[in-house]
Amino acid sequence: AGQTIKEIVGLCLHKVQASEVGIREGHATDTQLQLVTIDDAQYINVDTTTREGIQRAAMMGFSKSSTSTQQQQQQQQSSSSSPLAEMVTSSYFLHAGKYLFTKDRPGRAFLVMRHPVDRAVSMYYTKRRNGELDESITLEDYARGNGIENNWMTRFLTNVMEGDLKKIHLDQAKRILSKKFLVGFLDDAPESISRILKYNGWTYDPNDETKALLQQDCVARKLQEGVNQHNNNNNN
């Protein structure tokens, strides 16, 4: 679900993102924030998917970045203005909130969830393809705990990365989701995308009907590609 959303935001809606992609092609050693184009999408040259990457972004002035399209356009004429990320991808919700956003430049959190069994099956085959799991480990072994993630969402939301989780942690994670996040669901992806666009004030191109239709077609295609990938994973 995450990869599909990122492709929709970057390739269909043409929004600037901050994720792990921004440090590719040698940008991990950059000392100033800048826009980079990688695989036809635009990114800020930081990695917001790790604690270290978030802290590096903060040190580079991420939270002081431009807050409007006009400011971003004027960046070419003003070295004091930094580029704007319109979507930040990170599992480190608390860490990102602390270092990447301020009261003057707040973020709005959203996520798209899928059925946990479907997600576990997909992760199993992904890890098999990537060589992260021994080929002798069956799906049944994985489901019993051999290599499977341990309540990762609850851990990241509550910042309890080690040790046993208790009901109080689950209740805390549920409160955070209900109060801080717009929640979408992969099995109702078109409606979820519509809500995400409205939530963030994003629209298809308002000035060019043809471009707007192309953007809508791109979103529909990416959603279908995500469904096909999901089905392929489950059929492997």
Side-chain angles (χ1 to χ4, degrees):
Q3 184 61 34
T4 298
I5 296 300
K6 287 187 284 187
E7 290 182 0
I8 286 174
V9 171
L11 299 177
C12 302
L13 303 180
H14 310 300
K15 301 299 181 183
V16 179
Q17 300 180 71
S19 66
E20 76 284 2
V21 179
I23 61 170
R24 295 178 184 172
E25 300 182 0
H27 292 290
T29 57
D30 292 347
T31 58
Q32 293 184 331
L33 291 179
Q34 60 178 298
L35 285 172
V36 296
T37 300
I38 300 175
D39 294 335
D40 298 323
Q42 286 193 307
Y43 300 88
I44 306 300
N45 57 332
V46 297
D47 179 3
T48 55
T49 64
T50 68
R51 288 177 180 269
E52 297 78 12
I54 289 171
Q55 290 176 328
R56 172 178 174 267
M59 292 176 62
M60 294 170 71
F62 187 94
S63 65
K64 300 177 182 178
S65 59
S66 303
T67 57
S68 72
T69 301
Q70 182 179 7
Q71 283 178 311
Q72 189 161 321
Q73 291 172 343
Q74 293 173 344
Q75 178 196 348
Q76 296 177 349
Q77 301 158 350
S78 173
S79 60
S80 63
S81 178
S82 300
L84 166 70
E86 295 166 284
M87 187 178 84
V88 176
T89 299
S90 185
S91 296
Y92 290 97
F93 168 66
L94 298 177
H95 211 62
K98 179 179 180 179
Y99 290 103
L100 301 184
F101 302 97
T102 67
K103 290 183 179 180
D104 295 331
R105 296 177 174 82
R108 309 191 75 185
F110 69 91
L111 79 163
V112 177
M113 304 177 70
R114 66 194 301 185
H115 193 288
V117 173
D118 290 341
R119 183 181 182 281
V121 171
S122 179
M123 285 298 298
Y124 168 76
Y125 287 113
T126 297
K127 288 184 175 182
R128 283 283 299 271
R129 286 196 303 271
N130 294 340
E132 299 177 46
L133 286 179
D134 191 279
E135 292 185 0
S136 64
I137 297 176
T138 66
L139 180 58
E140 290 75 14
D141 295 333
Y142 183 74
R144 293 189 181 99
N146 193 342
I148 198 170
E149 297 165 323
N150 187 334
N151 297 299
W152 75 270
M153 182 173 289
T154 299
R155 291 188 181 279
F156 276 96
L157 288 173
T158 60
N159 202 31
V160 180
M161 307 307 293
E162 297 180 354
D164 294 334
L165 291 173
K166 300 179 180 179
K167 187 176 183 298
I168 188 174
H169 299 122
L170 174 62
D171 291 341
Q172 181 184 1
K174 290 166 66 175
R175 285 196 301 272
I176 291 172
L177 284 178
S178 66
K179 293 182 178 182
K180 302 295 186 181
F181 283 80
L182 172 73
V183 179
F185 296 95
L186 187 61
D187 56 4
D188 191 13
E191 174 62 23
S192 295
I193 293 297
S194 177
R195 294 179 64 209
I196 289 171
L197 264 63
K198 184 176 181 180
Y199 180 65
N200 289 297
W202 296 341
T203 62
Y204 299 115
D205 195 311
N207 302 315
D208 190 318
E209 184 177 354
T210 299
K211 288 183 178 179
L213 290 173
L214 289 173
Q215 288 178 309
Q216 294 178 55
D217 288 343
C218 178
V219 170
R221 185 172 66 255
K222 291 300 179 182
L223 288 176
Q224 187 57 52
E225 289 174 358
V227 170
N228 292 341
Q229 180 62 51
H230 169 62
N231 291 337
N232 289 338
N233 283 344
N234 289 347
N235 291 330
N236 283 341

